[in-house]
Amino acid sequence: MERVIDLHLKNLSFDHCPDRRSKSESNKWRRYPADVLPMWVADMDCLSAPSIQQALKERVEHGVFGYGRPLPGLYELLCKRMETKYDWKVDPSWIRFSAGVIVAVNQIIDAVSENGDAVLVQTPAYPPLLETPGCRKLECILSPLVSDHNGRFEIDFEILEKSITDRTRFFLFCNPHNPTGRVFTRSELEKLAEICLRHNLIILSDEIHQDIVYSDHKHIPIASLDKEIEQRTITISSASKTYNIAGLKCAYAIIPNKELQSAYDNGGKGLVDSVNVLGLTATEEAFRSGDGWLKDCLGYLKNNRNYLINEINKIKGIQVFAPEGTFLAWLDCSELMLGSSPAEFFLMNAKIAFNDGATFGDGYSNFVRMNFGCSFEILKNAIAAMKAALDAL
Ligand SMILES: Cc1ncc(COP(=O)(O)O)c(C=O)c1O
């Protein structure tokens, strides 16, 4: 009985989503008019863990917010976490904190690249990853993942290897993968690593969704495969997705290779370790005490995911594959024949804001990305509104 009550109370805390539209500056909730349900940008609507809120309150009460420097305890907690959760021994000297994953990716490419280098990116891709090479004035080589008849995206290793040119210097990888929800297996990672070694590529591995992984799947940092691949990989991640603290802007890069470390440090003068002090506090507390909350959160998200897959599969014309990780679903709406933009259709007719598939690379304009990191009630309302809009056609 106690356990039932306990679970009920825990669920209530994920069911309860504070008013983000009028009581906060939320990008997700304020971008669209008040009658639109936002199912787009990848943050969750739930409160962050009580222990994180408490740590932040204490830090705010301190009252002084000068420049920060991560405390030694944070490095230790991160290394311990990497070893216990991901079986990867990280040395504290490899870690660099940053104001965000995308900030760090841009900074690394700037620091390490030379004129004429190219960056290999798999599509569909989280739009800022797609845009980063161009922003850094490098060529972006796109290599599409391929979808099987169930809508599960996989790597076609032949296509990938063929797209590598003499100028390709970086492989910008995303695992768990946004937007497809794939959590790549050890065998897939080994094949990728082998290709990167053969072509002398530096792997920039964005693993920000590493903790949001559902049962039967396991996140493996690509750098943890072996020492050789570790030396050519920079892993960039954050506690931000896991603990819903993205607005606090704190991420980290793990750079085992000494030359890459120096390039990063020298290239980023004035930027290195420029981190929000509240982000450092929240991240440290998350790593110290966040495991229990994360377990409950994953249970809630899994229930949302299962409901979504079940319901969306009842809609004729939409194909969706159950994401193995992330709180994002990648909906193929091609067969609905909604015209050039299903995202626009759902915005106008269902008052639901999704991410438009077109922004994830060429060939995905018939997809929408749906964020299910919300209360069960919001999810139910969103799917009901989608169905009603389609029924009215
Ligand atoms: C794969 C991926 N990388 C990076 C980010 C953004 O991270 P940050 O806000 O730390 O730049 C996101 C956010 O949705 C993401 O999904």
Side-chain angles (χ1 to χ4, degrees):
M1 182 63 182
E2 205 177 302
R3 186 167 150 69
V4 173
I5 293 170
D6 197 34
L7 266 179
H8 177 64
L9 286 175
K10 278 172 181 161
N11 279 349
L12 274 182
S13 72
F14 292 103
D15 281 339
H16 169 62
C17 300
D19 174 358
R20 300 185 67 193
R21 184 171 261 134
S22 60
K23 296 255 164 53
S24 83
E25 60 301 283
S26 162
N27 185 23
K28 181 181 181 181
W29 281 85
R30 293 178 61 87
R31 165 98 170 252
Y32 293 97
D35 59 348
V36 171
L37 263 187
M39 310 298 283
W40 63 296
V41 73
D43 65 27
M44 298 192 277
D45 289 331
C46 61
L47 292 163
S48 62
S51 60
I52 296 177
Q53 293 179 54
Q54 184 56 33
L56 285 170
K57 277 182 200 148
E58 285 169 21
R59 181 64 189 84
V60 168
E61 270 164 21
H62 179 271
V64 184
F65 306 105
Y67 293 119
R69 158 186 287 259
L71 295 171
L74 177 54
Y75 292 92
E76 281 158 28
L77 283 164
L78 176 53
C79 293
K80 190 165 150 229
R81 184 180 179 85
M82 282 304 181
E83 186 160 12
T84 48
K85 273 193 187 300
Y86 302 113
D87 206 15
W88 183 26
K89 241 181 163 0
V90 168
D91 190 278
S93 68
W94 302 349
I95 301 168
R96 303 290 184 275
F97 281 90
S98 158
V101 164
I102 296 303
V103 173
V105 169
N106 276 277
Q107 199 176 318
I108 290 160
I109 292 185
D110 251 0
V112 179
S113 66
E114 283 160 22
N115 270 348
D117 282 349
V119 185
L120 177 63
V121 183
Q122 290 169 309
T123 58
Y126 170 60
L129 292 181
L130 206 57
E131 290 152 8
T132 294
C135 293
R136 300 335 317 158
K137 308 221 175 342
L138 301 186
E139 185 194 351
C140 183
I141 300 174
L142 302 178
S143 174
L145 294 165
V146 291
S147 139
D148 70 9
H149 59 281
N150 293 317
R152 182 178 194 262
F153 279 78
E154 293 187 344
I155 303 166
D156 182 317
F157 293 96
E158 233 179 274
I159 295 185
L160 184 87
E161 190 156 12
K162 277 198 185 130
S163 54
I164 298 171
T165 65
D166 291 348
R167 309 181 102 183
T168 314
R169 181 97 187 284
F170 302 96
F171 173 41
L172 186 45
F173 183 43
C174 180
N175 181 38
H177 189 258
N178 171 5
T180 68
R182 279 301 318 284
V183 176
F184 294 106
T185 62
R186 181 173 294 276
S187 122
E188 287 174 304
L189 295 175
E190 281 172 353
K191 283 189 201 145
L192 275 178
E194 200 228 314
I195 292 174
C196 291
L197 280 173
R198 205 167 39 241
H199 293 273
N200 211 18
L201 305 186
I202 296 170
I203 305 171
L204 305 180
S205 189
D206 174 344
E207 303 190 5
I208 194 170
H209 295 278
Q210 65 193 2
D211 301 317
I212 316 274
V213 169
Y214 304 107
S215 38
D216 302 334
H217 301 281
K218 186 173 160 41
H219 173 69
I220 302 169
I222 192 164
S224 72
L225 289 180
D226 65 43
K227 288 286 159 200
E228 206 176 357
I229 208 70
E230 184 181 87
Q231 281 298 309
R232 60 172 55 252
T233 301
I234 298 181
T235 306
I236 312 106
S237 193
S238 168
S240 61
K241 298 287 158 198
T242 315
Y243 294 99
N244 209 22
I245 51 175
L248 293 175
K249 301 307 292 177
C250 176
Y252 55 86
I254 303 179
I255 315 175
N257 179 281
K258 288 236 166 340
E259 275 173 41
L260 293 176
Q261 274 171 25
S262 310
Y264 180 82
D265 293 344
N266 294 329
K269 293 271 186 240
L271 294 169
V272 171
D273 282 351
S274 173
V275 191
N276 181 323
V277 287
L278 295 180
L280 290 173
T281 300
T283 303
E284 189 168 332
E285 190 55 41
F287 291 163
R288 178 177 298 115
S289 66
D291 278 355
W293 181 90
L294 174 57
K295 193 161 165 255
D296 297 337
C297 181
L298 282 173
Y300 195 89
L301 289 175
K302 190 174 175 190
N303 190 51
N304 275 4
R305 178 197 70 159
N306 293 349
Y307 175 81
L308 181 152
I309 298 302
N310 217 9
E311 292 303 308
I312 296 287
N313 276 334
K314 289 182 196 159
I315 304 177
K316 213 167 155 277
I318 305 187
Q319 188 179 47
V320 62
F321 161 75
E324 300 162 347
T326 79
F327 44 80
L328 307 166
W330 185 232
L331 274 49
D332 181 352
C333 304
S334 316
E335 287 176 17
L336 289 174
M337 313 288 256
L338 292 175
S340 60
S341 171
E344 185 69 16
F345 170 86
F346 286 116
L347 182 62
M348 302 312 288
N349 299 283
K351 302 286 177 195
I352 306 290
F354 294 125
N355 286 85
D356 189 335
T359 61
F360 291 74
D362 284 348
Y364 302 105
S365 60
N366 270 315
F367 286 75
V368 297
R369 193 192 71 176
M370 182 173 192
N371 173 353
F372 58 89
C374 57
S375 71
F376 184 63
E377 195 189 347
I378 288 182
L379 180 63
K380 263 194 339 200
N381 291 341
I383 294 174
M386 287 171 76
K387 283 183 180 162
L390 292 170
D391 286 347
L393 279 176

